[in-house]
C-alpha cells in the first residue's frame, strides 16, 4: 500500500490543483460557469442526480444500469457471432483474403450514419440500440479473431503435427489456444467501441441511459450534468478495461502479454 | 484456368475485389428478388439511382470535399497533439504519470458526448467540428506513441548515448524515429476513427459534408438511397485513403522496419 | 441614438413564426433601424441555435418558451425581449385511426411519441391534469419528429404530440386523426370544447452580454421586430406576407395558409405571458429539469425597448435592466 | 515419387564428384535419403532449388550431425525427414517405409520457441503422450519421469515464459522423448544458449542417447559441438544445398577437445567449410 | 564517490581471498576499477547486490575479456565502464579522470540490434561523427572510410534489416570506431553469429586492434573466443558479481586452438568456471 501510494499521488495532486484552479477561475469570473461548470456545481449535480434524478425519478444509477445492460447485450451478441465466424474465416486463407476489404469497410462505417437506416429496419425500440452497439463491437472483434487464428506461430503448428495432431484436434488443441491472447485483445477493443457508440444509440426513443442523459442535459443547458455523464462513462470504461486485463491475467496466466506470444 | 486461379490466389487485391463485388452482387440479388424489402434496404443500383435523382454531382462533390477537408484537418491536429503528448508522456516520466490516468479516463467518452461542450467552447463553426474529429484521431495516436516510447529497445538509447547524444537530441534523433513504427500503426487507426466520427462532427450545424448529407436526409425524411450512398462513400473514401497512407508508411517506415 | 453595430445574425427555422423576421428584412424594417447587414442562419435543431447564441454567433434567437426558461434557471445569462407569436393551437395530439382513442382515458392504452424535453411534455401534463388522468401512467417514447412519424406508421407508437407541420403531415400521409390541440378538444365526450392546455409561445431571446454591450442596437432590434409583427398581424396584409414568406422559404403557400391561423402575433407582456412562462417553469421543476428555487420570470424579461415603442404593450414591467 | 530422370541425373552427379561416403550394408540403412531435392516457388514465379540430389543413409542408433553455412538447407532437409515438408524430388524411407508425414516415429526438437506457451512444463511433455492411449494421470506421471530425466522436476508447473532458455530446451527434449521416437531430429537445439548451459545440455543429450539408444539427426553451426557429439558429420554446401563431404568421427566417448585427432578433424572440417 | 567504509571492506575481502592479479605500475593503470559495487532496487523493496568489490586495472592497448555465467554481472560492469550506469560504490577512472557519463572516449559495441534501423549503414556510422564538428559530406566520407576498413563499402546504402548479422556487427564496430575512442567496449558482440562468421570477425577485430592500438574490453560467453583474442581473461562469479580469477594469456598471436598451452588454459578456466 505504502509502495503504491507514490504512484497514485502525482496524478491525484495534479488533478486536485486543476480542480481548485477551475473552481477559483469560475468564482473570480475568468471562466463562465455555463461553459466550465465549477466543481462545486458538478458535485451538487451529482448528489441531485443520485437522489432526485434527471429527469425526476430517473436516478444516475438507473441511467448507468440501463446503459450497461444495453452495452452488454450488444457486446455479448457481437462476440457470440464474431468468434465462430472469425474462426472460420481465419482458418481458410482464401476466405480471409476474399473478405478482408469487406471487413475493413464495414468496420469503418460509422455507427451513427447507420442510425437512420436502423430506425427504419428495427424501429425506435431497444433492438435498435442494441443493434448499433453490437454492430460497432462485431467488426472489431471479427478482425481480431481472424488475425488471431491466422497468425498463429507456424512453429507451434509444426510441433503439434510431429505429435500426430491434425484437423479438428490440431485446431482445438493448438490453433485456438494460441489465438486466445489476440481474441482477448479484440474483446477488450470491442468493448471500448461499444461504449463509444452509446450516445448515438441512445439518441432515439429513450430518456434513460447515460447517452440519453447527456443529450437531455444538453437540451436544458445543464452542462454540469453533461460532464457528470461523460465522467461516469469514462470511469466505467476505465474500470471495465482494467477488469478485463485482470480477467485476462486470470484466464491466460501463461500469456504474460500479447507481445510475448506475437512474433 | 488453373494459371489464372494461381495468380489470383497470390494476389490479395484481386481476391479482395472479387469478395467485395460478390457481396454487392448478393445484396443486389437479395433486393431484386425480394429477400430483403427494397424499400427498407434498397439494392445498390436502386440506391444510386435514387441518390442521383436527389443530388447533383456537384453537390455530392462539394459534400465530399468538405468532409475530406474536415477529416484531414481534424486528423492532422489530433495526430500531432497525440504524437507530441504521447511521446512526452513516454519520455518524461513525471509528465507521464500525470497525464496518463487523465487520458485513460477521457478515452472511453464517446465523441458524440463531447458535442455540447464542443459547441460551448468552440462555437458552431469549423473549430467545433474539427475538435470532434481531433478526438477521434488523438486517442489512438497518443496511446500508440506512448506504447512505442515505452517499448524502445534500450540498447538503441544506450548506443546513442555512447555516441555523445543526450537530452533533447537523444529524444529527437533516436527515440522518435525508434517509435515511428508504432506511431505509424496509431496514425492509421486514428485516420480510420477520424472517418468514424465524421458523422458526429457534422451533426454540429453543418450545411454540407457527407455526414450532414446522411443526417439531413434522415431529418427531412428523404430517401434511404441517399443515406446508403453516403455510407458507401464515406467507407470507400476511408478505404482508399487508408490504402494510400498504408502505402506511404510502407515506403517510408517499411524501408527499414520490414513489416 | 446610433446603433453600436450594423450587423445582425438571426436564427430562423422553417416554420411560420419566422414570418416576422422575414418580413422585417424584406420590407426593410431592419434597414430602417440601422442594420445594414442582417443575415439569417438556420440550424438543424433548437439546441444548436441556443448554443449559437451563447457562442455569440447569433444575436437573436426565437425559440419556444421552454429553452429560455430552462436556460435562465440553469445559470445561462439570457434575456427575453418579448413574445414573437402565441401558438397555443399549434401543438396537437394525433393518433392512429385504428388506435381506438375516443376519450381521454383511452390514452392509457397507447404509447405516445413526443420530445420529452419540449413543450409537448408540458402539454401532456396539463392535459392529464385537466382530465384527471395520471400523467405518469401514460406511456411515452422520447422521439424526434422524423422518427416519431416513422414509428407511428409502424404502429410502434399509436400517437404523437408535436407542433405543426407534423400533425398536418400525419393527417395527410397516414390518415391519422387529431384528438386534441393546445386549445381545443376533439374527444368524443367534449368535442369542440375549448380546453387550453398549451403554454406554447415563441419568444425573442438575446444574450444578456450582448444587450449590455449594445443597448441601442437592442432597442432598435425590438423596434423593427415590433413593426414587422404589427404588419404581419394586420389581416389586410395576410396574403402579401404569406407570399413573401413562402417565396423566401420555398414552401407551398397552401400549407402556410392552412397553418397561419394557429398563430397570434402579439408581443404583449401581460399576465398571459407570465402565466405561460410560469407553467413551463413548473413543468420543468416538477421533472427536475431545472435546479433550485423557481425564478421570477420578470427577472429575465427586458421590457424597456418595447415600452419605448408603445407603452400600451407592456402591462407588467420586466425587472431586467442592462 | 520415384522419378527415374532425377535418379539418373543424381547418379551422374555422384560419379562426377564422388563424396567420401560410408559404404552401407542394408542393415545400416535405417534412414535412407535417396536423391532428395527441394525447390521452392519464388515470388517472381521462378523457383529456387534449395536442395539437390541429397543421398545419405543413416544407421539405427547412429548420431549424425549436419553442419554448413547459414541458408544451405539444413533445416529444410531436417523438415523433410520429419515429414513436415515434402521433397520435390527423390524419397526418404525410415526402416524401409517411405515418409509421408510427421508422427511416423520422428520426434523433433526445434531451435526455440516451440513449446506451447499455454501449457506448463509438465503439460507440454504430457502433450507428447497424446497418442499413447494412456489416461491423464498416467500421462502426467510419465511426463514427470521425463522431466526428472532432464533434471527439471522442480519446474514442472512453470509456464514456458517463466523458464530460462536452457530450461525451455530441456522441456523440448523431454517432450520429444515422450513420443518414444525411434529418431530424434534436432534443429540447432542449443543455438541460443550460453556456452556453459550448452555444454551441460550436450552432456545430457549424450547420456539420454546412450541410455535410450535413439537415432539422432542433429543440426548445428558449431563444428565443435558436432565433433563432441556425433558419429558422423555431414557437411552441406549451399546453392543448391547438397552434401559436400561426410566425416567419420572415430573418437571414443567421452571426447576431449584437446585430443589431437579431435583437432585434426576440426581443422579438416574448417578447411572444407571455408573453401 | 570515494566511500572509505567500502574501500576498507573491499581491502579486507581481498586479503581474505587473494585473486591472482597482475601487479600494475601506475603507467599501466589506464582504466582503474576501484572497489566498484552495484546494487539494484528490487521490486520487493529490498535491493540486489549485482557487483561487489570489483578491483581491476587495465593497461593502455590491452585486450581484456570478461567471462562468466549468465547473470554474473558482465554487462553491468561494462555499462559502468561505459558510463551508461553509475556504480553504487567505488569508482572507475580512465587515464586518471573519473568516469561520469558516456562519451568520454569509450566506444561501445553492443551484442546485437543496436544499429539504428532507420539509418543506412553509412548513416549509422556517420552518426558516430555527430560531435566531431564535421560537415555532412565530410562525415559521410569518413564513414565510408570506416566501412571500407571493415570490408563493407559495397553495403553502404543498405538498411540494417537488409544485412546479415555478421554485416550488422561490422557496421557496429565501424560506428564505435567513428568516435575514435581510446577504449572499445564490446558486449558479446559476436554472440548471435554462426561460428564461421564469428571466426572471421574475430580475425578482423584483431587486425583493427593491432592497427589502431585501442584498449579493448570484451565480454563473451565463449572461453575459446576469449582465449583466441585477449591478453588477459577476467573470470567473474555470480551472487554477488565479483572477480573470481584473472588469467594471463601469454600466447603469441596468431593463436591456434591446437597449441597445448591454449588447451591447458582452456581446461583451467573451464574448471574454475564450473566449480
Ligand atoms: N518457404 C520458403 N520459400 C522460399 N525459400 C525458402 C523457404 N524456406 C527456406 N527457403 C530458402 O531455402 C534456403 C535454405 O533454408 P534453410 O532454412 O533450410 O537453411 P539452414 O541451413 O537451416 O539455415 P540456418 O543455418 O540459417 O538455419 C534458404 O536460402 C532459404 O532462404
Ligand atoms: N535494472 C535491473 N534491475 C534489477 N536487477 C538487474 C537489473 N539489470 C540487471 N539486473 C540483474 O543483475 C544481474 C547481472 O546482470 P548482467 O546483465 O550484468 O549479467 P551478464 O553477466 O551480462 O549476463 P548475460 O551473460 O546473460 O548477459 C542479473 O542477475 C540481473 O538479473
Ligand atoms: Mg535452420
Ligand atoms: Mg550481458
Amino acid at each position: 500500500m505504502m509502495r503504491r501510494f507514490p504512484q497514485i499521488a502525482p496524478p491525484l495532486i495534479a488533478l486536485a490543483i486543476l480542480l481548485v484552479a477551475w473552481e477559483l477561475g469560475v468564482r473570480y469570473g475568468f471562466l463562465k460557469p455555463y461553459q466550465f461548470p465549477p466543481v462545486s456545481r458538478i458535485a451538487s449535480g451529482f448528489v441531485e442526480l443520485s437522489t432526485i434524478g434527471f429527469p425526476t425519478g430517473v436516478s444516475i444509477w438507473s441511467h448507468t444500469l440501463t446503459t450497461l445492460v444495453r452495452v452488454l447485450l450488444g457486446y455479448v451478441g457481437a462476440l457470440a457471432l464474431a468468434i465462430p465466424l472469425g474462426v472460420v474465416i481465419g482458418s481458410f486463407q482464401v476466405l480471409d483474403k476474399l473478405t478482408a476489404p469487406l471487413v475493413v469497410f464495414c468496420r469503418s462505417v460509422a455507427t451513427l450514419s447507420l442510425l437512420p437506416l436502423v430506425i427504419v429496419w428495427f424501429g425506435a425500440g431497444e433492438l435498435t440500440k442494441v443493434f448499433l452497439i453490437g454492430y460497432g463491437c462485431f467488426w472489431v472483434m471479427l478482425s481480431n479473431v481472424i488475425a488471431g487464428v491466422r497468425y498463429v506461430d507456424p512453429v507451434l503448428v509444426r510441433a503439434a503435427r510431429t505429435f500426430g495432431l491434425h484437423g479438428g484436434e490440431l485446431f482445438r488443441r493448438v490453433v485456438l489456444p494460441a489465438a486466445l491472447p489476440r481474441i482477448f485483445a479484440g474483446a477488450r477493443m470491442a468493448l471500448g467501441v461499444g461504449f463509444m457508440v452509446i450516445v448515438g444509440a441512445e439518441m432515439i426513443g429513450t430518456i434513460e441511459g447515460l447517452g440519453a442523459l447527456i443529450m437531455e442535459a444538453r437540451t436544458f443547458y445543464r452542462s454540469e450534468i453533461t460532464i457528470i455523464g461523460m465522467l461516469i462513462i469514462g470511469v466505467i470504461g476505465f474500470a471495465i478495461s482494467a477488469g478485463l486485463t485482470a480477467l485476462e491475467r486470470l484466464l491466460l496466466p501463461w500469456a504474460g502479454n500479447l507481445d510475448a506470444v506475437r512474433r | 484456368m488453373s494459371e489464372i486461379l494461381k495468380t489470383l490466389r497470390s494476389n490479395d487485391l484481386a481476391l479482395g475485389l472479387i469478395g467485395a463485388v460478390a457481396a454487392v452482387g448478393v445484396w443486389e440479388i437479395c433486393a431484386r428478388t425480394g429477400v430483403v424489402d427494397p424499400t427498407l434496404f434498397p439494392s445498390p443500383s436502386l440506391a444510386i439511382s435514387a441518390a442521383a435523382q436527389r443530388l447533383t454531382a456537384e453537390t455530392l462533390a462539394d459534400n465530399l470535399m468538405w468532409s475530406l477537408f474536415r477529416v484531414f484537418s481534424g486528423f492532422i491536429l489530433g495526430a500531432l497533439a497525440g504524437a507530441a503528448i504521447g511521446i512526452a508522456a513516454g519520455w518524461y516520466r513525471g509528465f507521464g504519470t500525470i497525464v496518463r490516468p487523465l487520458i485513460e479516463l477521457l478515452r472511453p467518452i464517446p465523441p458524440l458526448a463531447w458535442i455540447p461542450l464542443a459547441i460551448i467552447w468552440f462555437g458552431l463553426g469549423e473549430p467545433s467540428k474539427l475538435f470532434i474529429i481531433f478526438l477521434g484521431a488523438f486517442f489512438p495516436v497518443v496511446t500508440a506513441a506512448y506504447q512505442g516510447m515505452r517499448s524502445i529497445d534500450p540498447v538503441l538509447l544506450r548506443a546513442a548515448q555512447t555516441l555523445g547524444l543526450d537530452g533533447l537530441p537523444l529524444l529527437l534523433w533516436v527515440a522518435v524515429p525508434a517509435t515511428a513504427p508504432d506511431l505509424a500503426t496509431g496514425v492509421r487507426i486514428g485516420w480510420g476513427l477520424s472517418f468514424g466520427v465524421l458523422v458526429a462532427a457534422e451533426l454540429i450545424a453543418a450545411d454540407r459534408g457527407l455526414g450532414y448529407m446522411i443526417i439531413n436526409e434522415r431529418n427531412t425524411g428523404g430517401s434511404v438511397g441517399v443515406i446508403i450512398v453516403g455510407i458507401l462513400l464515406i467507407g470507400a473514401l476511408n478505404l482508399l485513403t487508408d490504402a494510400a497512407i498504408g502505402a506511404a508508411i510502407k515506403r517510408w517506415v517499411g524501408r527499414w522496419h520490414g513489416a | 441614438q446610433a446603433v453600436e453595430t450594423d450587423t445582425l445574425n438571426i436564427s430562423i427555422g422553417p416554420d411560420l413564426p419566422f414570418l416576422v423576421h422575414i418580413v422585417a428584412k424584406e420590407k426593410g424594417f431592419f434597414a430602417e433601424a440601422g442594420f445594414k447587414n442582417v443575415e439569417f442562419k438556420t440550424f438543424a435543431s433548437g439546441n444548436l441555435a441556443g448554443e449559437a447564441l451563447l457562442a455569440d454567433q447569433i444575436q437573436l434567437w426565437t425559440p419556444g418558451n421552454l429553452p429560455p426558461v430552462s436556460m435562465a434557471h440553469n445559470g445561462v445569462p439570457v434575456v427575453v425581449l418579448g413574445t414573437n407569436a402565441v401558438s397555443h393551437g399549434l401543438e396537437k395530439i394525433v393518433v392512429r385511426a385504428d388506435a381506438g382513442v375516443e376519450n381521454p382515458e383511452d390514452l392509457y392504452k397507447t404509447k405516445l411519441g413526443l420530445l420529452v424535453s419540449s413543450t409537448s411534455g408540458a402539454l401532456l401534463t396539463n392535459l392529464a391534469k385537466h382530465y384527471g388522468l395520471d400523467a405518469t401512467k401514460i406511456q411515452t417514447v422520447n422521439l424526434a419528429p422524423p422518427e416519431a412519424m416513422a414509428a407511428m406508421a409502424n404502429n410502434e407508437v399509436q400517437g404523437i404530440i408535436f407542433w405543426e407541420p407534423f400533425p398536418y403531415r400525419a393527417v395527410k400521409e397516414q390518415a391519422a386523426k387529431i384528438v386534441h390541440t393546445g386549445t381545443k378538444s376533439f374527444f368524443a365526450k367534449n368535442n369542440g370544447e375549448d380546453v387550453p392546455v398549451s403554454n406554447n409561445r415563441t419568444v425573442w431571446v438575446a444574450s444578456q452580454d450582448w444587450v449590455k454591450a449594445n443597448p441601442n442596437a437592442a432597442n432598435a432590434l425590438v423596434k423593427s421586430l415590433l413593426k414587422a409583427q404589427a404588419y404581419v398581424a394586420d389581416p389586410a396584409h395576410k396574403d402579401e406576407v404569406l407570399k413573401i414568406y413562402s417565396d423566401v422559404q420555398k414552401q407551398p403557400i397552401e400549407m402556410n395558409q392552412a397553418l397561419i391561423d394557429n398563430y397570434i402575433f402579439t408581443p404583449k407582456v401581460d399576465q398571459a405571458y407570465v402565466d405561460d412562462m410560469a407553467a413551463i417553469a413548473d413543468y420543468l421543476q416538477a421533472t427536475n429539469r431545472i435546479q433550485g428555487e423557481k425564478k421570477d420570470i420578470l427577472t429575465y424579461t427586458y421590457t424597456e425597448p418595447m415600452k419605448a415603442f408603445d407603452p400600451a404593450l407592456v402591462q407588467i414591467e420586466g425587472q431586467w435592466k442592462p | 515419387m520415384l522419378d527415374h530422370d532425377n535418379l539418373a541425373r543424381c547418379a551422374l552427379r555422384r560419379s562426377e564428384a564422388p563424396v567420401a561416403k560410408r559404404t552401407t550394408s542394408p542393415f545400416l540403412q535405417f534412414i535412407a535419403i535417396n536423391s532428395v531435392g527441394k525447390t521452392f516457388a519464388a515470388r517472381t514465379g521462378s523457383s529456387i532449388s534449395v536442395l539437390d540430389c541429397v543421398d545419405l543413409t543413416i544407421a539405427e542408433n547412429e548420431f549424425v550431425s549436419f553442419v554448413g553455412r547459414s541458408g544451405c538447407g539444413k533445416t529444410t532437409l531436417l523438415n523433410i525427414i520429419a515429414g513436415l515438408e515434402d521433397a520435390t524430388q527423390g524419397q526418404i524411407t525410415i526402416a524401409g517405409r517411405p515418409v509421408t508425414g510427421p508422427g511416423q516415429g520422428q520426434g523433433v526438437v526445434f531451435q526455440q520457441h516451440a513449446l506451447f506457451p499455454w501449457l506448463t512444463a509438465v503439460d507440454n511433455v504430457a502433450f507428447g503422450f497424446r497418442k499413447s492411449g494412456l489416461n491423464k494421470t498416467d500421462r502426467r506421471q510419465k511426463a514427470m519421469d521425463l522431466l526428472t530425466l532432464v533434471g527439471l522436476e522442480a519446474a514442472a508447473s512453470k509456464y514456458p515464459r517463466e523458464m530460462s532458455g536452457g530450461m525451455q530446451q530441456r522441456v523440448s527434449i523431454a517432450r520429444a522423448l515422450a513420443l518414444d521416437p525411434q529418431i530424434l531430429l534436432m534443429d540447432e537445439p542449443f543455438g541460443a544458449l550460453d556456452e556453459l548451459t550448452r555444454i551441460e545440455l550436450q552432456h545430457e543429450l549424450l547420456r539420454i542417447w546412450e541410455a535410450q539408444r535413439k537415432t539422432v539427426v542433429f543440426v548445428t553451426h558449431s563444428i565443435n559441438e558436432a565433433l563432441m557429439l556425433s558419429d558422423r558429420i555431414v557437411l552441406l554446401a549451399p546453392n543448391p544445398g547438397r552434401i559436400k563431404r561426410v566425416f567419420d568421427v572415430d573418437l571414443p566417448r567421452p571426447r576431449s577437445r584437446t585430443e589431437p585427432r579431435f583437432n585434426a578433424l576440426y581443422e579438416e572440417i574448417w578447411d572444407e567449410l571455408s573453401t
Side-chain angles (χ1 to χ4, degrees), chain C residues 46 77 121 133 151 153 166 173 183 240 256 319:
Chain C
L133 303 176
F166 298 103
E173 293 163 17
T183 53
E240 184 199 354
N256 290 328
Q319 294 159 13

Side-chain angles (χ1 to χ4, degrees), chain A residues 152-153 155-166 169 173-179 252-257 260-261 263, chain D residues 75 79 82-85 102-103 106-108 110 112-119 127-128 130-131 159 161-162 175-176 178-179:
Chain A
V152 169
D153 191 341
V155 172
L156 294 182
V157 175
R158 290 199 152 165
R161 285 177 58 208
T162 65
F163 294 109
L165 261 67
H166 50 77
E169 202 181 6
R173 297 264 162 214
V174 177
V175 175
L176 222 48
L252 308 179
W254 49 271
N257 56 44
V261 185
R263 256 188 308 279
Chain D
T75 298
N79 281 341
L84 289 167
E85 275 180 51
Q106 316 100 310
V108 183
F110 296 89
Q112 53 177 331
H113 303 309
L115 291 180
F116 302 119
W118 56 91
L119 298 178
F127 197 96
R130 302 221 116 250
K131 296 274 152 171
Y159 286 103
R161 71 177 179 94
E162 300 167 330
R175 188 178 65 174
L179 272 177

